[in-house]
Amino acid sequence: MRLRDILSFSIRAATANRGRVLLMLLAMAIGVGSVVVFISLGDSARNYVIDQFSSLGTDLLIVLPGRSETTGGPPPLLGETPRDLTLDDAMALSRARTVRRMAPIIAGSAPISVQGLEREMLVLGSSSELFAIRHLALSQGSFLPPGDLSRAESVCVIGLKGKKELFGSGPAIGRWLRIGDRRFRVIGILSSPGVSLGEDLGEIVIIPVAAAQSLFNASSLFRILVEAKNSAVIEPTRQAILEIIRQRHEGEDDITVITQDAVLTTFNRIFQALTLSVTGIAAISLVVAGIMIMNVMLVAVSNRRAEIGLLKAIGASRGQILGLFLAESTLLSTVGAAIGLVVALLGIRLAGILFPQFPLQLAPWSPAIAIAVALISGIAFGVLPAHRAANLEPALALARR
Amino acid sequence: MIQLRHIERVFMVGEEEVHALRDVSITAEAGEYIAIMGPSGSGKSSLLNILGLLDRPDSGAYELDGTLVSNLDEKQQAAIRMHKIGFVFQFFHLVPRLSAFDNVALPLVLSGVKPDERQTRVSTALAAFGLGNRARHRPDQLSGGQRQRVAIARATIMQPSVILADEPTGNLDRSSGIEVAEILEELNHQGMTLIMVTHDPDMGKRSRRQILMVDGRVEGGKGEDRSP
Ligand SMILES: Nc1ncnc2c1ncn2[C@@H]1O[C@H](COP(=O)(O)OP(=O)(O)OP(=O)(O)O)[C@@H](O)[C@H]1O
Ligand SMILES: [Mg+2]
C-alpha cells in the first residue's frame, strides 16, 4: 500500500466520526499545550535568574563578612561577632596572583540634594574597578578615577534616572550635588538603566569608597567583589582569599566567599527540579489523552468490524490492518499535538503581552518533546486497538450475528 | 480448479460442539457455475467462508489451482484472497464513507497500484456494470441493486479466478436480483469460476450444477465425483 493512500484512508476514517475525534483532539491538545507551557515557564524562570547572575560576570567572587556555613566542630562558646572587613583587607586581596580586579563596596541610603531638590537614593562607595567588574556603561563623562583607595575624592557617578530627577534635561557633568553634609562633583552618568540583582542602577550614586566611609562614618565594608583572572582559577582564588583573610584576622575563617558558579549551580538544580515536577504533572494530562485515543480507537475497531472483515476479504493482511489503525491513531495524536503546540505558542505570546516584565519564552526543545511524546503515545495507545483489529477473524467480523 | 478434501469445521458454542461442516469433499473445475443450496444452518456460509479463506477448517485440505492453500500462512492467504478470489456478500459490505469509485478501488489501493492506473481500471469497471454516472455516489445514495453491482465490481477488479457469492440476491427485489445474477453469470461466461449460495430454487436452477447441503454434509456425495 502506498503511503499517501494509507494517510488518506486514515484521514477519511478518522474524520468520519467527528464528535469523538474532536473530543480526543482537544484532550491531546490540552496535554501537549500544558506540557509545552510548563516546560517553557520553568525554563524561562531559570533563564531569567541565570541572566541576572551572569550580568555579574562568571569570574566573580563575592566576599562577605561573617560565616554563613558551619563546617562542623563545636559551636563557639561566646556569641562570636565576625570581624569587620576593612579597606586594608580588600587591598590585600588584590595582591593575590589570580585576582584580576577587586572592588570594595559600602552601600547605604542617603538624601541627595541639588538646589533644594532632594531625593533619597542608594549610595555606593566603591573603586574604579567596579566599572569593569559589574559591566557598567556610561552615557556621559567618566567613571571614578583609579588610584589610592584611601583618598576620599569628592566626585560621583550618577544613574540616568537620578540625573533626570535632580538635574532635569540640562547638563549635569561638572555640577555639584550634596550627599548628606558633603558636596560631590558629578563626573559621569551611567547609561542603560536597569535592575541588576535588585539594585536599581538608574537611581544610584557611586562615590569613592573612602568618601563613603566618612559619609556613613563606618570603616567596615559591606562586601568585596573580586574578579578572577579567568573562570578556571575560581577555586584557587577562593582559597587564596580565605588564606589572606585568615592571616589578617588572626587565624579566623570569618568571611564567606560566594562564587557565582556555586550559586548558579544551585539555582539550576532548583529550577530543573521545579520544571521537571511541573512537567510531570502536565504529562499526566498527556496520559489521559493517550487513554482517550485508545478508547476512541477501540470504539472505532468495534464499530468498523465489518469494514475490517471486508478489508481482509479483499486481501488486506494482518500487517496492513495493523498499519492502517496505527496510522490513524498516530495521525490523530499528531494533529492534537500540533493544535496544542499552536495554542501553547499563542498562550506564551499572550503572557508576554500581559506580563512584559517576565521574559516568558518557548523552551527551544519543548515542541520536539511534545511532538515526540504525542507520537509515542499515539503509537503506544494505538497498538492495543490496532492489534484487536488485525486479529479479527474475517468470517466472524463479516457475519451478522 | 478447486479441491476440498474431508473438510471439518466445528464451532464451540458454550460447552456444545456445533458441526458446521462434516467431511466435506468437493471438486470444482475452472469455469464451473455451482449453486450451493440447503436449509438454514446447514453449513452453506461456513463452506463458502472456507473456500474464500475467510475461515480455516479444523481439518481437511483445500487446494486452489494446484496450491495447497490450507497450509499457507496468513500473509500468503491474504495474497490469494486479493488476487484469486472475489467475494460477494448478501449485505454488500460497502464502506459507507467511501464513494462507489473508492469502494471499487479499495483492492487496487491495498495492493499498491498507482492512482492513474486505478483511475482507468475502476472507471472501466464501473461503466461495464452500468454505474458510470454513479462513481461519486456514496452507498447510502444507491439502490440495493446498484450497491450489489458496486460490490461485484470491487470483487472482480483484481480479475480473480473464482467468484464466491453468499446469497448475493438475498437482499434484493426480484428484478434487481435477476439483474445481479445475470451479471455474475456473464462473469462466469468470461471464464471465472462462480460458486453461489442461494435459498431460492429458481436461482439455483440457473446453475449447471447444484450442491445440496444438509446438516453440514454434502447430500448424497453428489458434489464429489461429478465432472462436467
Ligand atoms: N462463528 C460461529 N460460532 C458458532 N456457531 C457457528 C458459527 N458460524 C456458524 N455457526 C453454526 O454453524 C452452523 C452452520 O452455519 P452456516 O452459517 O454455515 O449456515 P448456513 O447454511 O449459511 O445458514 P443460512 O442459510 O441461515 O445462512 C449453524 O448451526 C451455525 O449456528
Ligand atoms: Mg448463510
Side-chain angles (χ1 to χ4, degrees):
Chain A
M1 216 172 155
R2 304 159 76 82
L3 184 64
R4 267 198 60 188
D5 290 330
I6 293 178
L7 286 181
S8 91
F9 188 91
S10 306
I11 289 170
R12 288 161 83 169
T15 49
N17 194 326
R18 297 241 162 72
R20 231 193 338 257
V21 164
L22 281 182
L23 200 70
M24 203 223 73
L25 287 182
L26 188 71
M28 200 41 144
I30 290 175
V32 167
S34 50
V35 165
V36 169
V37 166
F38 281 125
I39 290 181
S40 299
L41 262 175
D43 203 47
S44 301
R46 193 177 123 250
N47 285 341
Y48 178 72
V49 170
I50 288 179
D51 267 6
Q52 290 286 305
F53 273 89
S54 300
S55 65
L56 292 177
T58 46
D59 310 334
L60 193 73
L61 298 97
I62 302 170
V63 183
L64 305 173
R67 239 170 58 189
S68 64
E69 300 161 45
T70 43
T71 48
L77 288 177
L78 296 166
E80 175 194 24
T81 44
R83 223 170 293 251
D84 288 342
L85 273 177
T86 64
L87 203 51
D88 290 333
D89 289 339
M91 287 189 286
L93 290 186
S94 57
R95 288 195 283 276
R97 244 181 341 102
T98 54
V99 170
R100 186 205 300 277
R101 301 191 180 94
M102 182 280 299
I105 287 185
I106 291 180
S109 169
I112 320 279
S113 57
V114 178
Q115 295 170 350
L117 261 176
E118 192 176 282
R119 286 281 183 284
E120 188 85 6
M121 288 194 204
L122 178 68
V123 175
L124 220 58
S126 192
S127 68
S128 61
E129 303 207 310
L130 180 72
F131 188 74
I133 291 178
R134 293 289 301 265
H135 306 289
L136 301 176
L138 288 168
S139 62
Q140 269 177 44
S142 55
F143 200 68
L144 300 180
D148 185 1
L149 289 185
S150 53
R151 263 190 65 206
E153 221 179 318
S154 293
V155 293
C156 70
V157 175
I158 185 169
L160 198 59
K161 202 166 149 213
K163 181 253 162 193
K164 288 207 175 102
E165 283 171 4
L166 293 170
F167 298 100
S169 54
I173 301 288
R175 294 185 61 182
W176 293 80
L177 50 73
R178 181 174 286 279
I179 306 178
D181 54 357
R182 299 167 130 261
R183 276 160 46 84
F184 291 85
R185 189 166 52 88
V186 178
I187 58 168
I189 297 165
L190 294 174
S191 72
S192 66
V195 180
S196 169
L197 275 187
E199 290 166 2
D200 188 346
L201 292 179
E203 286 190 78
I204 198 171
V205 179
I206 303 172
I207 59 178
V209 64
Q213 278 180 321
S214 59
L215 178 71
F216 295 120
N217 195 19
S219 62
S220 73
L221 299 177
F222 175 56
R223 62 180 64 163
I224 305 170
L225 304 182
V226 176
E227 191 182 309
K229 287 236 160 75
N230 56 60
S231 47
V233 296
I234 294 268
E235 189 51 33
T237 309
R238 201 174 86 91
Q239 295 301 337
I241 291 172
L242 287 171
E243 179 59 34
I244 291 170
I245 299 293
R246 192 181 304 132
Q247 275 171 17
R248 297 181 54 84
H249 289 191
E250 289 142 17
E252 295 283 355
D253 271 329
D254 57 0
I255 55 162
T256 302
V257 181
I258 301 174
T259 58
Q260 193 198 5
D261 238 31
V263 175
L264 278 187
T265 314
T266 310
F267 265 103
N268 237 336
R269 230 182 288 138
I270 291 172
F271 275 105
Q272 250 157 24
L274 215 69
T275 308
L276 266 183
S277 52
V278 189
T279 307
I281 294 168
I284 292 173
S285 58
L286 266 181
V287 172
V288 171
I291 290 171
M292 279 185 81
I293 293 182
M294 183 155 76
N295 190 36
V296 167
M297 293 309 295
L298 282 175
V299 172
V301 169
S302 74
N303 281 352
R304 278 151 62 190
R305 281 169 62 90
E307 177 189 326
I308 296 161
L310 171 91
L311 288 174
K312 288 198 162 187
I314 61 175
S317 62
R318 265 195 89 250
Q320 276 182 316
I321 304 279
L322 199 74
L324 280 175
F325 275 81
L326 273 183
E328 199 173 319
S329 61
T330 308
L331 200 80
L332 286 173
S333 57
T334 309
V335 171
I339 295 173
L341 205 56
V342 170
V343 170
L345 268 172
L346 291 180
I348 287 172
R349 278 270 170 81
L350 189 70
I353 294 168
L354 293 181
F355 310 102
Q357 316 83 294
F358 184 66
L360 184 58
Q361 266 182 352
L362 187 74
W365 30 269
S366 63
I369 285 193
I371 297 290
V373 168
L375 281 178
I376 291 168
S377 68
I379 292 170
F381 289 100
V383 162
L384 177 72
H387 256 279
R388 206 169 270 189
N391 289 338
L392 273 183
E393 288 294 337
L396 263 181
L398 286 165
R400 291 215 159 182
R401 281 175 203 278
Chain B
M1 194 180 85
I2 290 172
Q3 250 196 328
L4 290 184
R5 289 190 294 267
H6 310 297
I7 297 288
E8 300 275 343
R9 185 68 174 106
V10 183
F11 292 105
M12 291 300 297
V13 180
E15 296 286 284
E16 213 177 321
E17 288 187 350
V18 178
H19 286 259
L21 296 174
R22 303 172 198 257
D23 192 23
V24 172
S25 297
I26 291 175
T27 304
E29 299 298 330
E32 259 199 287
Y33 176 8
I34 302 175
I36 298 178
M37 308 191 57
S40 187
S42 58
K44 307 181 294 293
S45 295
S46 302
L47 175 59
L48 213 63
N49 286 341
I50 301 262
L51 285 171
L53 294 176
L54 301 183
D55 195 13
R56 283 175 183 264
D58 294 302
S59 67
Y62 173 13
E63 206 172 286
L64 176 62
D65 295 340
T67 314
L68 194 60
V69 291
S70 46
N71 278 6
L72 297 180
D73 67 20
E74 190 273 338
K75 209 169 168 182
Q76 292 166 317
Q77 286 200 349
I80 301 271
R81 290 199 295 268
M82 172 165 295
H83 296 288
K84 296 213 149 180
I85 299 169
F87 219 109
V88 179
F89 308 89
Q90 179 178 359
F91 298 103
F92 323 127
H93 286 309
L94 300 177
V95 180
R97 62 175 181 277
L98 298 182
S99 67
F101 182 97
D102 289 328
N103 265 289
V104 176
L106 263 183
L108 300 172
V109 169
L110 282 174
S111 69
V113 172
K114 289 203 187 83
D116 42 352
E117 189 189 335
R118 284 195 321 237
Q119 179 68 38
T120 48
R121 278 172 74 174
V122 174
S123 304
T124 312
L126 284 174
F129 291 108
L131 295 160
N133 52 353
R134 293 283 184 274
R136 293 288 144 222
H137 291 225
R138 268 185 289 115
D140 57 1
Q141 299 162 327
L142 297 172
S143 73
Q146 288 169 333
R147 287 184 213 179
Q148 195 60 299
R149 278 185 276 156
V150 172
I152 294 171
R154 181 181 61 194
T156 53
I157 194 77
M158 300 298 286
Q159 299 292 324
S161 57
V162 182
I163 299 177
L164 304 171
D166 194 349
E167 312 230 22
T169 61
N171 253 27
L172 302 176
D173 61 51
R174 188 135 195 94
S175 68
S176 19
I178 289 172
E179 210 175 63
V180 162
E182 281 169 353
I183 289 174
L184 290 172
E185 285 158 10
E186 171 56 28
L187 291 164
N188 174 242
H189 270 296
Q190 293 167 14
M192 296 183 191
T193 309
L194 174 59
I195 301 181
M196 179 164 71
V197 168
T198 180
H199 264 122
D200 182 350
D202 291 341
M203 266 319 150
K205 273 184 223 142
R206 300 172 71 109
S207 68
R208 261 177 280 142
R209 174 183 162 197
Q210 288 101 38
I211 292 176
L212 182 63
M213 299 220 38
V214 176
D215 198 18
R217 290 180 201 283
V218 174
E219 193 61 5
K222 273 185 289 183
E224 172 59 41
D225 330 302
R226 234 183 91 166
S227 18

